[in-house]
Amino acid sequence: MSDLKEKREIAQSEARDKTTKIIAGMVPMGSAAYELLTTIVVPLHEKKRREFIHDLASRLKKLEDQGQIDFEELGRNEEFNTITTKAILLAQQNHQKEKIQALKNLVENTALKMSTQKINSDIIEHYLNQIERFSDLHFLLLKTFESPIEIMKGIGRKTSFEFINLRMVFSKLHPELDSKKDYIQIIWKDLYNEGLVIKETMQHSVPVDGAIKSIVTDFGEGLLDYIRIENNP
């Protein structure tokens, strides 16, 4: 080995050691915490990434075999590449199965829509940001009030009231969440501020005879449309 190459490798090794010491010094428990990060957290991070990519690739290959998409053409599409890359990054940073499923569905639906129509990549990226930030409760509320007609008919048979507010509707459907009623109000306000529901408060009264339109906005419908696949919710 030449002296120059040996000196370069020694310098690189010293730089890595210095970086390790700096990181360890920033973390409580020092080197023990650093070892934890490098031996457990980082490999887990990569494992999630590999699993997500493998499953997504299988789903897209199936669509191509069915003649629904042209994978080679998608591979040349910068919008699709950007959306897919962001979905992968979000997936490897998340442990919630529902969110990971939503991210896969969004990429798959994006691929399908790109094959037949022009998409708005800015809106899809906004949906990605909402998937990252939203909890399961956000999506449960959206799905509950997306098509409430049949729900209201069912509730109408169990109450003597002519009108009932949205909070009571949700309580009758999900009594196990009554202990989180204050948090649910906060989540609803969040959905309203994001432009996903038309009513600012869940105290809004609706008729129990089933004559009620969707409480979810077109923008909210779009989000649900992208994260849902028939027979694969």
Side-chain angles (χ1 to χ4, degrees):
M1 182 184 295
S2 67
D3 290 343
L4 181 60
K5 184 176 181 181
E6 185 175 359
K7 288 180 180 179
R8 186 185 303 117
E9 290 187 356
I10 291 173
Q12 290 174 342
S13 177
E14 289 176 346
R16 286 194 295 269
D17 290 342
K18 183 177 180 181
T19 301
T20 299
K21 290 177 182 178
I22 291 173
I23 293 175
M26 294 168 59
V27 181
M29 301 190 302
S31 60
Y34 179 78
E35 288 297 322
L36 175 67
L37 289 171
T38 56
T39 61
I40 299 178
V41 177
V42 173
L44 183 61
H45 202 64
E46 288 302 313
K47 180 174 181 288
K48 289 179 181 178
R49 181 175 181 274
R50 288 195 301 270
E51 289 177 347
F52 185 87
I53 292 175
H54 181 269
D55 188 47
L56 185 59
S58 297
R59 293 170 68 163
L60 293 177
K61 180 64 168 60
K62 183 177 179 180
L63 291 179
E64 184 178 48
D65 291 343
Q66 295 170 346
Q68 297 188 64
I69 65 171
D70 183 334
F71 197 72
E72 187 174 338
E73 183 178 332
L74 284 174
R76 296 192 296 266
N77 188 300
E78 291 186 3
E79 288 181 314
F80 183 75
N81 286 329
T82 297
I83 291 165
T84 303
T85 299
K86 288 188 176 182
I88 291 171
L89 289 173
L90 291 178
Q92 71 182 32
Q93 297 166 10
N94 209 288
H95 69 280
Q96 293 175 290
K97 292 181 179 180
E98 293 80 2
K99 284 196 177 186
I100 292 174
Q101 186 66 53
L103 290 166
K104 291 176 186 176
N105 290 352
L106 182 140
V107 175
E108 184 173 338
N109 279 318
T110 298
L112 286 167
K113 291 177 187 296
M114 278 185 165
S115 300
T116 59
Q117 60 188 272
K118 184 174 178 59
I119 65 165
N120 188 323
S121 58
D122 290 337
I123 289 180
I124 298 175
E125 289 187 41
H126 189 71
Y127 288 155
L128 281 169
N129 293 333
Q130 289 176 323
I131 293 172
E132 177 186 22
R133 189 169 64 82
F134 284 178
S135 67
D136 292 344
L137 191 50
H138 282 85
F139 293 110
L140 179 59
L141 282 165
L142 278 177
K143 291 174 182 178
T144 298
F145 293 103
E146 178 187 15
S147 301
I149 295 178
E150 293 304 317
I151 290 174
M152 297 306 296
K153 286 181 178 178
I155 291 176
R157 291 193 290 266
K158 300 175 183 178
T159 179
S160 59
F161 296 114
E162 292 184 11
F163 289 85
I164 187 172
N165 65 47
L166 298 177
R167 179 68 193 92
M168 292 176 66
V169 172
F170 193 73
S171 179
K172 286 183 177 294
L173 293 171
H174 302 284
E176 73 280 4
L177 296 175
D178 278 350
S179 62
K180 297 182 179 181
K181 59 183 180 181
D182 291 337
Y183 179 57
I184 290 171
Q185 296 286 358
I186 293 173
I187 295 298
W188 184 269
K189 183 72 172 181
D190 199 15
L191 293 174
Y192 177 77
N193 289 337
E194 288 283 329
L196 301 174
V197 294
I198 62 175
K199 299 301 178 182
E200 185 174 4
T201 173
M202 293 187 77
Q203 296 306 318
H204 174 72
S205 293
V206 293
V208 297
D209 62 2
I212 175 177
K213 295 182 180 179
S214 175
I215 304 297
V216 177
T217 65
D218 290 343
F219 190 64
E221 294 276 4
L223 172 60
L224 291 175
D225 186 41
Y226 266 97
I227 67 171
R228 177 175 52 216
I229 290 179
E230 189 175 356
N231 298 323
N232 192 15

